[in-house]
Amino acid sequence: MSLRAGSTVGESGGVVSGISTVIYHENYDSITLDDIAVVQPSEPFPMGPNIQIVNLPSKFGYEAPSGLPVTVVGWGLDGDGNRPEQLQKVDLSVGKTSICKDIFADYNPVTESMMCAGAINKSPCNGDSGSPLVFGSVQVGIASWWDENCEYPQAVYTSVGFLRLWIQNKIRD
């Protein structure tokens, strides 16, 4: 595996680095729990106009408020089921956890380490797992799972604020 930064074109441009370390959360389960890992590149990426740092929420346990405007970017399938050549983005809003729990009650549990975001006919899709959900320069979530209909009004994200202490501890190790 390798990491690419500084390009919005699939498999070209930017800077590529190998991976020296991957640390999965101890409670990781691809569907229901703590869908998060810390990945360390073999060499640091050079900061510049096309490569910027994304910040963690400033407080441990931060919960993104319902209605917060957020953006998810990724390489998942587009609305026609095709893999895009350009990085895709969609603007969403953070959803109410209680409504999200009701929506997915028959699918999977939405736990305290998760959050939801969505918009009508806008959602991550197959291939977007692990994509960042950001508010400005702050990453509030990580695309985790959703209904197989990629235009479902809500998707579930790992809450970066909830797991901030775990992230900080792994970065220090």
Side-chain angles (χ1 to χ4, degrees):
M1 277 198 295
S2 62
L3 301 170
R4 181 181 308 274
S7 176
T8 60
V9 178
E11 300 186 35
S12 69
V15 179
V16 177
S17 175
I19 297 172
S20 67
T21 308
V22 177
I23 304 168
Y24 294 95
H25 194 283
E26 299 79 18
N27 294 333
Y28 169 72
D29 176 303
S30 64
I31 300 295
T32 59
L33 290 173
D34 301 333
D35 190 5
I36 189 170
V38 170
V39 180
Q40 181 176 352
S42 300
E43 297 182 25
F45 286 105
M47 296 295 111
N50 295 328
I51 302 175
Q52 297 290 312
I53 293 173
V54 65
N55 298 298
L56 296 174
S58 60
K59 294 187 269 181
F60 294 110
Y62 170 80
E63 284 186 48
S66 176
L68 184 73
V70 290
T71 301
V72 64
V73 297
W75 295 99
L77 301 181
D78 65 19
D80 297 324
N82 299 312
R83 179 102 25 226
E85 290 185 28
Q86 289 283 334
L87 183 64
Q88 302 293 297
K89 79 169 196 136
V90 65
D91 295 323
L92 310 168
S93 296
V94 172
K96 290 185 179 181
T97 303
S98 60
I99 293 173
C100 189
K101 285 181 178 185
D102 289 344
I103 289 172
F104 291 108
D106 294 332
Y107 192 70
N108 279 317
V110 175
T111 68
E112 63 183 353
S113 66
M114 299 173 186
M115 59 179 288
C116 288
I120 302 298
N121 297 325
K122 295 180 180 180
S123 177
C125 199
N126 299 327
D128 283 325
S129 294
S131 294
L133 181 70
V134 297
F135 171 68
S137 65
V138 177
Q139 185 169 354
V140 296
I142 302 166
S144 185
W145 55 271
W146 43 86
D147 186 86
E148 46 192 56
N149 173 357
C150 295
E151 294 181 352
Y152 208 65
Q154 292 287 306
V156 179
Y157 296 80
T158 299
S159 171
V160 172
F162 185 85
L163 294 169
R164 186 181 189 282
L165 182 59
W166 180 85
I167 296 167
Q168 287 291 138
N169 287 337
K170 296 306 172 189
I171 291 171
R172 288 186 198 129
D173 288 349

